Amino acid sequence: MKSLQPVRGYRHPRSAVVTAWLAVSLIGGAAVGCGGRADVGRVSGVVTLDGTPLPGARVTFQPTTGGAPSHALTDASGRYELQYARGVAGARIGEHEVSISTLDRGNPDADPPRRGRPEQVPPHYNQRTTLTASVRPGTTQVDFQLTVSTARKPDNRLR
Amino acid sequence: MPRPATSPALRRGFTLVELLVVIAIIGTLVGLLLPAVQSAREAARRSQCSNNLKQLALGIHNHESSQRTLPSGWVYTDTRANAESWSWGALLLPAVEQAPLHAQLRVAQGNLAAHLLSSQWQPVTTGVQTVIGTFLCPSDTGLQGGLVHNDRRFNGGIGYTARPYTPGASNYVGVAGHYVVTDADRANSGLFYGNSRVRMAQIIDGTSKTAMLGERDTRNCRGGAWAGIRNPQGTAARGIWTAVGHSRAKLNESALPWDNDPLGCGQGFSSLHPGGASFAAADGSVRFITDDIDHRHITGITSQNHTDPRNGVYQRLLSRDDGLTVDIP
C-alpha cells in the first residue's frame, strides 16, 4: 500500500497538464476555423428613397480598380449586407462604384408567378451612377439617402 | 496452478478522469482529421466532375470533326412560343457514346416539341428523362434523382397545360456569351446560342482563351437539362437557361435570387466546390476559375458592349470575338 501513495501523487498533475493541452488545442482549432479574408471588409447600411426605407433593392458595389463585385438585396427596413462570395460577407477593400436598382422582372414561370417591379430609383443611381463608396478593413457602415427630386435637374453635388 | 494473490498495484485499472482524457484526445484528433477527410472526398468529387466536363468537351470536338461546326446552343426551328427544343446536349449524344438514345429520341428527325405533340410522345418523354452520368457533377447535393429541378420543369410540348415532366439534369451548360439573347436572329458573343453552329475559325480570341462549357449546380442555381430548353423565346426561369449561361451574372452569385434576374446565378455559372467552378475552354482543357475573378460587365443595348475594353477578365473569357484576349487565370 505504501508504494501506491507516490503514484497517486504524480497522477493528478499529469492529467491536469493533459487537460490544459487539450483545452489549448481545442481553442486553437476553433480559431483556425473562423478565419476571414484579408482583402474583404464587411459592409452594411440602410438605403432610403426620399426618406423612406427602400425594400427589395439590388445594391451593387463594383470595385473601381478591378476585382469581383459584391451584391445585396435590401430587407423590409431598407437594410442591406453585402455578399462577396458564397459564405464570405463584405466587399473588396478600396474604392467602389455603387449602383442601386429596384428593377425586378419577376418570374412568370414560378408557382404562383412572382410579379415584377418597375424601376423606382433614378438612373443616376444605377445606369449612369454617380454613387461611390470606400470600403475599409473591418466593418464599414454605408447608408444611401436617395432622392427622386434631384433627378429633374443636373446635380453636381454628388460627385 | 494457484493464482498468485493479486496485489493492489495489479488490480488498479483506469480512473474515470484518465478514461475521459483519453476519449477527449481521441475526439480532438478525429475532429482535426474529419475536415481533412471531407475535403479529400470533395477533391475526389471535383476531380470526377471536371473529368465529366472534359468528356463533354472532347465530345464537342468529335462533333466538330464530323460536322465542321460546334453543335447549336439550341435548335430554333419551331418559332412558336414555348416550343420545347433540342439543345447542344441532345445534339452531342452520338459523340458521347449515347448514339442509341440519340436514335430513340429521333433528334435528327424533328424538334422536341413536334415529337412530344405526336402520337409517339411517350418514348420521347422517357428518353429525355434518362439520367446520363456524364452530364452530372457528383459535388451537386441538390440533384433530385438526376432529374432537373421542378422549378425548371418542362411542359411536354407547347404551352403550360400539356404533360409536365422533369427532364434529365445537366450540371454543365454552354457559354452563350455577353448578352441575354433568345432569338436565333441575334448572334451572341459566346459559343452556344440559337442555331449558333459556331465554327472553330469564329473563335477569334483563341480556343485556349475562350470558355466553352461551365458548371451550374442544382442546389443554389437550379442547374440545367442535357436534352433541351422549354422556351426558345424565354429568358425566365424556364426559358433558354437550362442549356446555356451568360457572362453578366457573377460566378457563384449568392446574394440575389436565381430566377429571372440577369444578375442571378440561374442564368450564369456556379458550383458547390468551395471558391469557384470548373470551365472547359474551347480547346478542351478544363480549368478551375475562382469566384473572385475580375468581373465587370458593360451592359447596354448596343451589340458592341462585349468589345468594350472596360469589360472584366471573366467577360473576356466568355466571349469568343471581343478582341480582348486574356489568359485563363
Side-chain angles (χ1 to χ4, degrees):
Chain A
M1 272 312 257
K2 265 183 183 173
S3 64
L4 257 182
Q5 288 311 109
V7 177
R8 243 182 226 286
Y10 281 120
R11 198 166 63 235
H12 289 290
R14 192 181 56 200
S15 66
V17 166
V18 167
T19 313
W21 173 82
L22 209 75
V24 166
S25 67
L26 274 177
I27 292 163
V32 166
C34 50
R37 289 186 53 134
D39 57 342
V40 173
R42 294 177 82 97
V43 182
S44 61
V46 176
V47 180
T48 55
L49 184 65
D50 287 335
T52 50
L54 189 63
R58 286 149 169 73
V59 181
T60 301
F61 272 51
Q62 176 78 48
T64 50
T65 51
S70 294
H71 294 286
L73 268 181
T74 57
D75 65 11
S77 53
R79 171 157 284 278
Y80 73 93
E81 181 170 16
L82 285 181
Q83 196 75 17
Y84 179 66
R86 190 177 300 146
V88 184
R92 276 177 74 96
I93 290 161
E95 296 303 313
H96 289 258
E97 182 187 289
V98 181
S99 51
I100 299 170
S101 163
T102 57
L103 183 65
D104 178 5
R105 299 176 183 208
N107 183 6
D109 292 343
D111 294 328
R114 186 166 61 80
R115 291 187 57 184
R117 186 175 166 192
E119 185 66 87
Q120 287 174 269
V121 181
H124 64 268
Y125 296 128
N126 40 65
Q127 285 162 25
R128 295 185 296 278
T129 184
T130 53
L131 291 173
T132 57
S134 175
V135 175
R136 296 184 301 274
T139 304
T140 312
Q141 165 95 12
V142 192
D143 295 337
F144 296 99
Q145 281 121 28
L146 313 181
T147 48
V148 175
S149 49
T150 53
R152 298 203 188 96
K153 56 180 186 285
D155 193 345
N156 302 320
R157 286 170 297 168
L158 286 161
R159 266 286 181 202
Chain B
M1 203 166 151
R3 285 178 66 178
T6 44
S7 75
L10 288 175
R11 248 192 297 125
R12 228 183 93 237
F14 292 111
T15 64
L16 184 63
V17 172
E18 281 171 334
L19 200 69
L20 287 177
V21 165
V22 167
I23 290 171
I25 290 171
I26 292 171
T28 311
L29 290 176
V30 169
L32 289 172
L33 201 66
L34 210 62
V37 171
Q38 291 295 355
S39 66
R41 283 161 61 91
E42 163 56 21
R45 284 193 294 262
R46 199 175 98 181
S47 166
Q48 172 72 44
C49 189
S50 60
N51 183 48
N52 287 348
L53 192 54
K54 180 91 181 173
Q55 296 300 322
L56 293 175
L58 290 176
I60 289 171
H61 277 239
N62 287 344
H63 185 282
E64 196 273 336
S65 298
S66 59
Q67 312 268 325
R68 295 287 141 213
T69 69
L70 270 57
S72 288
W74 63 92
V75 180
Y76 194 25
T77 53
D78 195 336
T79 54
R80 293 174 288 182
N82 303 309
E84 289 169 21
S85 307
W86 300 120
S87 65
W88 62 269
L91 302 173
L92 199 62
L93 290 176
V96 289
E97 299 185 333
Q98 296 285 345
L101 185 58
H102 186 263
Q104 181 201 331
L105 292 172
R106 292 175 290 150
V107 175
Q109 286 92 44
N111 216 335
L112 178 55
H115 290 327
L116 290 170
L117 294 171
S118 74
S119 59
Q120 293 297 305
W121 61 275
Q122 254 166 336
V124 176
T125 306
T126 47
V128 166
Q129 289 186 296
T130 308
V131 177
I132 305 177
T134 313
F135 283 93
L136 300 179
C137 177
S139 299
D140 187 0
T141 51
L143 279 171
Q144 299 166 340
L147 298 179
V148 85
H149 195 283
N150 191 49
D151 290 347
R152 299 258 207 205
R153 72 190 174 282
F154 284 29
N155 293 319
I158 289 177
Y160 284 84
T161 51
R163 296 179 279 259
Y165 67 102
T166 48
S170 173
N171 285 122
Y172 308 102
V173 289
V175 173
H178 198 79
Y179 305 101
V180 183
V181 175
T182 57
D183 39 325
D185 296 336
R186 287 180 63 197
N188 211 328
S189 70
L191 301 180
F192 296 102
Y193 45 94
N195 292 347
S196 52
R197 293 176 68 83
V198 168
R199 285 172 287 111
M200 280 292 175
Q202 287 175 279
I203 308 173
I204 295 166
D205 293 348
T207 52
S208 66
K209 295 170 174 29
T210 305
M212 182 162 71
L213 302 175
E215 284 187 72
R216 193 189 297 144
D217 73 277
T218 305
R219 199 178 74 192
N220 297 324
C221 308
R222 300 297 186 268
W226 60 261
I229 56 168
R230 195 200 58 83
N231 181 7
Q233 293 155 7
T235 56
R238 295 163 63 205
I240 59 175
W241 307 118
T242 49
V244 295
H246 57 66
S247 68
R248 187 168 175 195
K250 190 181 147 192
L251 180 57
N252 280 351
E253 175 60 59
S254 54
L256 300 177
W258 68 273
D259 62 335
N260 201 23
D261 187 334
L263 295 174
C265 66
Q267 306 185 5
F269 298 90
S270 72
S271 81
L272 295 180
H273 316 309
S278 297
F279 283 80
D283 66 353
S285 62
V286 174
R287 316 287 185 86
F288 191 76
I289 296 182
T290 55
D291 53 18
D292 57 357
I293 186 173
D294 179 47
H295 175 115
R296 189 184 181 92
H297 185 275
I298 303 303
T299 310
I301 49 165
T302 76
S303 59
Q304 295 306 314
N305 284 318
H306 70 287
T307 60
D308 192 309
R310 289 174 296 165
N311 278 307
V313 173
Y314 185 65
Q315 281 64 33
R316 295 171 183 212
L317 285 176
L318 268 56
S319 284
R320 67 170 197 277
D321 60 351
D322 51 357
L324 307 163
T325 57
V326 60
D327 285 320
I328 296 175

